[in-house]
Amino acid sequence: MTVDPSVRQAMLDAIPRLRAFAISLSGNITYADDLVQGALLRGLENLDKFQPGTSMQAWLFTILRNQFYTDMRRHRREVEDADGAMAERLAVMPEQSARLDFSDMLAALAQLSIEQREALVLVAAEDMSYEEAAQICGTNLGTIKSRINRARTRLAELLDLVSDEDIGPDRLVRATLLMHASMSRPLRQRFCKLVQTVVC
């Protein structure tokens, strides 16, 4: 199969965001990588169904999302690690307060319904428009806006956020972070954007 170079590049460019979306849905990096690989393979297999002029990223997000839900339905009755022994071995205490904040955010995100979580992540973390998120989720614009509003409200409750000052580190840690602003900047920007949308 010969793939047009521009289509190939569009698929490659989508991989980081696909991976971030898959991780936010599944909470498991290994499974997320499998979802991304599966979405790319299905995309290549069904490339004739892709409509030129539309967003390759949105198309791949839809494929990934559909596969995630198919897997969820298939594995709904499976129980892994029923006694919690594996979970106890994997628990690691965070070393910094920023990591604690990030862990709190991930835990709060995990408590949202999948529909609310995916809508919030697509718009706030992946910087997609409401229209693109509605297309990926297969729903209308009003439903996406409602899901995001409910998700933000619920996250603020779960994280006990009242104002912008409740987000992130204290003043001393902020001053230290300014000295190291160039380190891991894309991840920090995405996290801060996601957190700020909760309070606004």
Side-chain angles (χ1 to χ4, degrees):
M1 168 195 280
T2 305
V3 179
D4 181 75
S6 64
V7 171
R8 181 180 182 274
Q9 190 59 47
M11 292 180 90
L12 290 174
D13 291 344
I15 291 174
R17 287 187 165 197
L18 279 171
R19 187 168 189 264
F21 182 57
I23 291 170
S24 73
L25 285 177
S26 68
N28 181 312
I29 293 174
T30 304
Y31 177 53
D33 288 340
D34 290 343
L35 282 172
V36 170
Q37 183 178 6
L40 292 170
L41 287 173
R42 282 180 192 77
L44 286 172
E45 291 169 357
N46 297 294
L47 205 49
D48 57 317
K49 296 177 184 172
F50 176 70
Q51 297 175 1
T54 60
S55 171
M56 173 63 74
Q57 180 174 297
W59 187 62
L60 291 172
F61 267 70
T62 303
I63 292 171
L64 186 144
R65 178 185 177 273
N66 290 343
Q67 185 58 48
F68 173 74
Y69 281 117
T70 299
D71 291 350
M72 290 253 322
R73 282 190 296 272
R74 186 179 303 137
H75 299 296
R76 185 175 298 172
R77 296 187 181 165
E78 290 182 15
V79 177
E80 296 180 27
D81 194 27
D83 62 353
M86 181 180 230
E88 287 178 1
R89 287 195 309 259
L90 296 176
V92 177
M93 293 299 291
E95 296 177 4
Q96 299 175 341
S97 63
R99 181 69 182 153
L100 287 172
D101 290 343
F102 188 69
S103 295
D104 290 346
M105 174 59 84
L106 291 178
L109 278 171
Q111 292 183 42
L112 297 177
S113 70
I114 292 173
E115 292 83 9
Q116 289 178 359
R117 183 171 60 233
E118 74 182 352
L120 183 64
V121 168
L122 286 172
V123 172
E126 294 300 329
D127 203 26
M128 292 188 174
S129 69
Y130 287 116
E131 292 81 10
E132 289 173 316
Q135 180 185 7
I136 290 168
C137 294
T139 189
N140 63 44
L141 184 61
T143 301
I144 285 296
K145 288 181 177 181
S146 176
R147 286 178 184 174
I148 291 170
N149 184 44
R150 287 192 312 265
R152 288 175 175 163
T153 302
R154 181 69 179 132
L155 279 179
E157 290 170 3
L158 290 169
L159 296 172
D160 196 28
L161 300 177
V162 178
S163 70
D164 289 343
E165 292 299 316
D166 291 337
I167 300 172
D170 59 26
R171 289 186 307 187
L172 179 62
V173 175
R174 285 184 193 148
T176 305
L177 288 174
L178 287 175
M179 293 173 28
H180 302 286
S182 63
M183 296 174 55
S184 174
R185 190 172 180 190
L187 177 62
R188 185 167 45 254
Q189 285 175 334
R190 281 188 177 169
F191 175 68
C192 289
K193 183 175 181 181
L194 181 62
V195 172
Q196 287 172 350
T197 63
V198 172
V199 181
C200 296

